[in-house]
Amino acid sequence: MARSTNSTRLYLRQDDLTNELFDKICKYIYEKARIGLGKNKMELVRARFGKVIRQRQMSGFREYFQWMVSDTTGDALREAMNAISTNLTSFFRENDHFEFMAKTLLPEIERRNVRTGGKIRLRGWSAGCSTGEEVYTLSMTISEFVKKRDEWDIKLLATDIDTEVVAHGQRGVYGKDRITGIPSTLVKKYLDPVTDEKGRPAYRMREDLRRMITFRHLNLFTDWPFRNKFNFIFCRNVMIYFDRPTQEALINRYYDNLAPGGYLFIGHSESLSGVNHRFEYVKPTIYMRKS
């Protein structure tokens, strides 16, 4: 859409986000990404999409909505998802999941010893990876368990609908304030001191961790280009955005993409209570595919 070159143009008419237009925007977001936005999210939409409108020098929400529905490049949806997503995360967040990985899941994988090309195969997926703290915590947890790295074939997938946080995770650079959850022994072992793009002290994940992980942009409600089954899937604090039918459809897709004996981890604020699924309950927020 063409941008105005009139320097006197007044951008972002706050009063043109009517209830009717808000409902249309919510319907578009739901149809494309299954994210439900209730009436209580109107001010959030006004503030976050307002930034996109200003950046694109549009006249207001009506012009923005017309661009959304007419766009064929995918840019409108990507920018909307980048704006609306809440990316609250940290290293070793909800740490009992990583303790379960180290004490239960990884020993089970080692005992089963299912090999690919002579190596023990391990596949994991961080769905809704945000800026990467979760998947790097997974890679550190795995690295601490695996004593002979050349005997393992380890691949982790990290995906998110927000392209900006995927790019952040791929860079693997975090400010000093972001790494406070990592034990100092692991900081020395797995992170290198660097400076960020503004010249501030920061840390970068070491190459051996970054080599384990593939970061990708992915809308969970499009086709999944996976050929192999996962041993575990982390989908934590993602389903809170979805209604019950959407949660049910997603959970059952996860089941179909896990290998027998594979685990699903969800957030501590989430539950599968009332959701029709095939998983076996292991403990709060941890479920298993038996067969």
Side-chain angles (χ1 to χ4, degrees):
M1 179 171 290
R3 299 183 184 183
S4 170
T5 57
N6 183 354
S7 60
T8 63
R9 182 178 180 181
L10 296 177
Y11 299 112
L12 188 54
R13 289 183 56 234
Q14 296 282 343
D15 61 349
D16 76 343
L17 182 60
T18 62
N19 288 332
E20 179 184 5
L21 185 53
F22 174 74
D23 289 343
K24 289 179 178 179
I25 291 173
C26 292
K27 183 179 179 181
Y28 170 87
I29 296 296
Y30 184 82
E31 288 176 350
K32 298 295 184 180
R34 296 295 187 271
I35 294 175
L37 298 171
K39 289 291 186 184
N40 62 330
K41 300 295 184 182
M42 190 167 185
E43 290 309 310
L44 180 144
V45 166
R46 190 191 305 276
R48 295 194 181 181
F49 287 171
K51 293 180 182 179
V52 179
I53 292 169
R54 285 190 291 271
Q55 289 167 357
R56 287 192 165 269
Q57 299 185 356
M58 294 175 175
S59 60
F61 285 92
R62 292 194 180 279
E63 184 179 354
Y64 174 63
F65 179 68
Q66 289 304 313
W67 172 64
M68 290 174 80
V69 297
S70 62
D71 175 58
T72 59
T73 66
D75 289 345
L77 182 60
R78 280 192 292 272
E79 290 191 25
M81 291 301 96
N82 291 359
I84 207 67
S85 301
T86 299
N87 295 296
L88 176 64
T89 186
S90 60
F91 290 99
F92 289 93
R93 185 184 185 192
E94 300 178 357
N95 188 48
D96 58 312
H97 286 164
F98 304 106
E99 291 179 354
F100 184 88
M101 286 279 299
K103 296 177 181 178
T104 302
L105 191 154
L106 292 172
E108 285 180 2
I109 295 291
E110 190 171 50
R111 283 195 299 271
R112 287 201 298 266
N113 200 7
V114 178
R115 292 180 175 263
T116 301
K119 296 184 178 183
I120 302 172
R121 178 188 182 278
L122 178 63
R123 297 290 185 271
W125 178 16
S126 171
C129 65
S130 187
T131 44
E133 286 88 339
E134 177 179 272
V135 74
Y136 283 118
T137 302
L138 286 168
S139 65
M140 284 185 276
T141 301
I142 293 166
S143 295
E144 285 297 286
F145 178 83
V146 174
K147 303 308 178 187
K148 296 181 179 179
R149 181 67 177 83
D150 59 349
E151 294 184 357
W152 287 70
D153 173 22
I154 303 167
K155 292 181 181 178
L156 304 178
L157 176 66
T159 68
D160 203 283
I161 199 168
D162 185 331
T163 55
E164 292 178 1
V165 298
V166 169
H168 186 147
Q170 201 157 27
R171 289 192 297 272
V173 176
Y174 300 91
K176 292 177 68 175
D177 60 320
R178 298 289 293 276
I179 67 163
T180 54
I182 307 176
S184 58
T185 54
L186 299 187
V187 171
K188 294 176 182 177
K189 195 171 182 178
Y190 296 114
L191 283 73
D192 290 319
V194 295
T195 54
D196 64 15
E197 67 278 3
K198 295 183 179 179
R200 298 170 299 194
Y203 289 84
R204 188 180 192 193
M205 295 293 161
R206 289 189 178 166
E207 186 179 358
D208 55 338
L209 295 188
R210 289 185 281 113
R211 277 201 307 264
M212 286 186 198
I213 306 166
T214 299
F215 284 91
R216 289 286 184 269
H217 168 258
L218 181 70
N219 182 339
L220 290 173
F221 299 97
T222 57
D223 291 337
W224 295 353
F226 309 143
R227 292 176 296 177
N228 298 310
K229 305 286 188 181
F230 295 100
N231 301 108
F232 64 88
I233 297 173
F234 272 57
C235 182
R236 306 191 304 172
N237 307 305
V238 173
M239 291 189 297
I240 54 176
Y241 293 105
F242 308 136
D243 59 18
R244 186 57 54 83
T246 302
Q247 292 174 354
E248 190 168 297
L250 183 61
I251 288 299
N252 284 289
R253 287 185 80 186
Y254 286 147
Y255 185 94
D256 292 336
N257 282 272
L258 278 168
Y263 290 92
L264 172 68
F265 298 81
I266 64 175
H268 284 192
S269 62
E270 298 169 319
S271 170
L272 298 192
S273 176
V275 175
N276 184 23
H277 65 85
R278 293 165 284 167
F279 282 100
E280 179 174 295
Y281 174 87
V282 176
K283 58 188 298 187
T285 69
I286 302 176
Y287 299 83
M288 181 183 188
R289 173 175 177 166
K290 287 290 287 185
S291 60

